[in-house]
Amino acid sequence: MTSASSPTATIMDPYGQKVKMEDVNERLENVSSPEPEFQFTKDFGFLPIPRHLRYDPSKPPHFGIALNIAFGFASTFIVANLYYCQPLLIQLSIAFNVTYSEVSRIPTLVQAGYATGLVLISPLGDLLRRRQLILLIVAISACLTVGLAVTSSLIVFEVLSFLVGVLTVTPQILIPLAADLAPEKRRASAISVVLSGLLFGILIARVLAGVIAEFVSWRVVYYFAIGVQVLVLVGSYFMLPDYPSKNKDLTYVHILWTMAKFAATEPILIQACLINMASSACFSNFWVTLTFLLGGPPYHYSTLVIGLFGLVGMAGVAMGPIVGHIIDRLIPWYASLVGITMLLVFQAIQTGAGGISVAAVIVAAFGLDIFRQMLQVSLTTAVFGISTSARSRLNAVSILAIFIGQVMGTSVGTHVFVNFGWRAGAALSMGFYGWQLFVLLARGPHCKRYTWFGYEGGLEARKSVVQGRERLEEEQEGKREVANGGQEEKASPNPSENTAAGNAHHEDRASLHTGDETSKNTSTASVRGVPDTEVAEEKPLVCFTIS
């Protein structure tokens, strides 16, 4: 008998053919140790990806606290690009020697560019590798900001402002990426940290720009913007893990088409958009008209003191991680219900005493920021549950609704405040909050995906209980299938039919439980260049006769 380790060792396969033992060992190694999926080693074909950030399906990237905070930091100083110009309009009118009405076009153009980017760029997160996409748009945005800092032409400044707005969508790519990378039990917490960074950017940009421009040139504001964007770019290169594109079979046109389709056919998304639109209108109404309220009687505060109220909003935003932790334990619908109810309470305080006591304004500002964030995170979590492969598109539709709400709240809220007073403006927000509550209650917490109105599936609020119930139902369904298979065997009078039925049943059960493994093996075989049929119909190898 020849040793199995001998170079001449052979075996007999089931078809009577001799096969070399070394060929058998090689094949067994291929089956037991499949090669990993293809790894990208470079960005843009020339920029090396740090080895620990390359995508490896056997070792998914770890989404820890440090990376989550980095996502929030990037969101803060990228979204700030949209708001630096607002406190600088007087200085810009002097620098460009134009009227106030001419420079007032700048904030409008920046916001119009942002809306364009939401529609045309942020959906690319479902089509392209997001690490590469983020590096590209941050780099281009930083380069364009150089132009904003040095130009002496209003027209050039306006064009560049629009283009920077188009590219300021990095947070809307990071939020779906955070949802993909974070484990399910921490998903809402991860989203809340990134969203907190975004809201910090909205609040802090005006403060920073105003303070910097007060002591030095307005151009220094944009030099600062260049510096933090370069910092985000470098941080993204060294910290952002590579992640494969999720829809390689789709085209850009199809991505845009499906985004429009989602906006018309997904009840959960439409419900979230209607609520987000009204909630965003309330948020904008409060913060825009707060300047008029505090600058007039009975307060007569200076611009500096009014700006400090932004710190109250920041304190509310800082509660975001705690809010996310709570949402992770609830069905998102109930977190939205708590958020809207508390927003009604704090808005009632503002409606009753906002023009009488500054303490009421402080309490309202703090509470409205906390529960506005809770509402947005819970709605985003629910929307991301619709489809894991379409999160960037779903997020783009949701953020577009928020943007529309901001425009609506700013224009309508200012008109009502100027013409009818502070209490009428606060009452307008009360009406919007009532509308949000109506929209939420029209569709229950456990409705199926395409149920538009009503309640089904009970009213359980705890996510762990619902998940445990779903697992129990799956187990019971499996037991019923096994029992049905046994009854079919007893019912068949022909033993051969019993055997055939039993085999067929067990094959069906095996295919149900091992479908994921089969697909993994199939994809692995495809990567190795082995035809799919070799994995699906692999010939038995081990029927050994050593000669």
Side-chain angles (χ1 to χ4, degrees), residues 123 126-127 247 250-266 269 389-390 392-394 397 449:
D126 284 338
L127 190 63
N247 298 280
L250 299 183
T251 63
Y252 180 60
V253 174
H254 194 182
I255 287 284
L256 296 180
W257 161 246
T258 53
M259 186 171 73
K261 183 180 176 182
F262 285 144
T265 60
E266 293 290 345
L269 178 61
S389 63
S392 291
R393 283 166 285 172
L394 294 168
V397 174
R449 178 172 175 177

Side-chain angles (χ1 to χ4, degrees), residues 69-111:
I69 293 174
F71 276 32
F73 178 87
S75 296
T76 297
F77 289 104
I78 295 299
V79 80
N81 290 336
L82 302 174
Y83 301 96
Y84 287 133
C85 65
Q86 293 183 5
L88 305 177
L89 295 181
I90 295 175
Q91 291 94 326
L92 291 174
S93 68
I94 296 171
F96 295 127
N97 194 26
V98 295
T99 63
Y100 290 166
S101 61
E102 288 178 284
V103 294
S104 66
R105 296 194 301 260
I106 295 172
T108 304
L109 285 168
V110 174
Q111 296 295 331

Side-chain angles (χ1 to χ4, degrees), residues 112-371:
Y114 181 58
T116 304
L118 285 176
V119 175
L120 299 181
I121 294 181
S122 60
L124 288 172
D126 284 338
L127 190 63
L128 304 176
R129 290 164 51 217
R130 281 166 285 186
R131 171 186 165 87
Q132 199 166 244
L133 178 61
I134 289 170
L135 291 175
L136 179 63
I137 62 177
V138 173
I140 297 175
S141 177
C143 293
L144 294 175
T145 308
V146 174
L148 290 175
V150 301
T151 185
S152 299
S153 167
L154 176 62
I155 299 300
V156 173
F157 193 93
E158 288 176 337
V159 172
L160 292 176
S161 294
F162 176 83
L163 294 175
V164 169
V166 171
L167 296 168
T168 307
V169 292
T170 297
Q172 310 314 329
I173 299 171
L174 288 173
I175 290 174
L177 180 57
D180 286 342
L181 294 175
E184 185 178 358
K185 63 182 181 180
R186 281 194 58 243
R187 186 164 295 151
S189 299
I191 294 171
S192 69
V193 171
V194 184
L195 185 60
S196 294
L198 187 148
L199 295 176
F200 264 126
I202 294 173
L203 294 171
I204 203 173
R206 299 181 180 94
V207 176
L208 286 174
V211 170
I212 292 172
E214 181 71 22
F215 298 101
V216 291
S217 168
W218 63 268
R219 296 184 187 274
V220 177
V221 175
Y222 289 99
Y223 288 131
F224 171 81
I226 296 166
V228 291
Q229 286 180 90
V230 170
L231 184 61
V232 169
L233 181 63
V234 174
S236 298
Y237 176 78
F238 287 107
M239 295 186 70
L240 189 62
D242 194 24
Y243 201 79
S245 58
K246 297 186 290 184
N247 298 280
K248 297 178 182 178
D249 56 325
L250 299 183
T251 63
Y252 180 60
V253 174
H254 194 182
I255 287 284
L256 296 180
W257 161 246
T258 53
M259 186 171 73
K261 183 180 176 182
F262 285 144
T265 60
E266 293 290 345
I268 297 174
L269 178 61
I270 294 170
Q271 182 187 43
C273 286
L274 291 174
I275 295 173
N276 264 330
M277 192 182 299
S279 178
S280 179
C282 295
F283 181 84
S284 297
N285 180 25
F286 177 83
W287 284 103
V288 170
T289 60
L290 185 66
T291 303
F292 304 140
L293 175 65
L294 297 177
Y299 303 114
H300 300 289
Y301 290 152
S302 67
T303 303
L304 178 61
V305 174
I306 294 172
L308 292 177
F309 273 77
L311 298 177
V312 179
M314 291 179 198
V317 170
M319 302 294 289
I322 298 174
V323 168
H325 187 71
I326 295 171
I327 296 173
D328 275 327
R329 282 154 177 73
L330 292 174
I331 297 298
W333 188 92
Y334 282 99
S336 298
L337 180 61
V338 172
I340 294 173
T341 302
M342 296 307 298
L343 286 168
L344 276 167
V345 170
F346 284 100
Q347 186 61 41
I349 294 173
Q350 176 68 9
T351 304
I356 302 171
S357 169
V358 71
V361 178
I362 293 173
V363 170
F366 183 73
L368 290 174
D369 271 35
I370 291 176
F371 292 102

Side-chain angles (χ1 to χ4, degrees), residues 10-29:
T10 60
I11 62 171
M12 299 294 293
D13 71 8
Y15 302 93
Q17 302 293 324
K18 288 187 178 182
V19 182
K20 290 183 180 179
M21 193 66 186
E22 58 186 14
D23 293 340
V24 174
N25 290 334
E26 181 181 352
R27 230 179 135 187
L28 286 173
E29 287 174 4

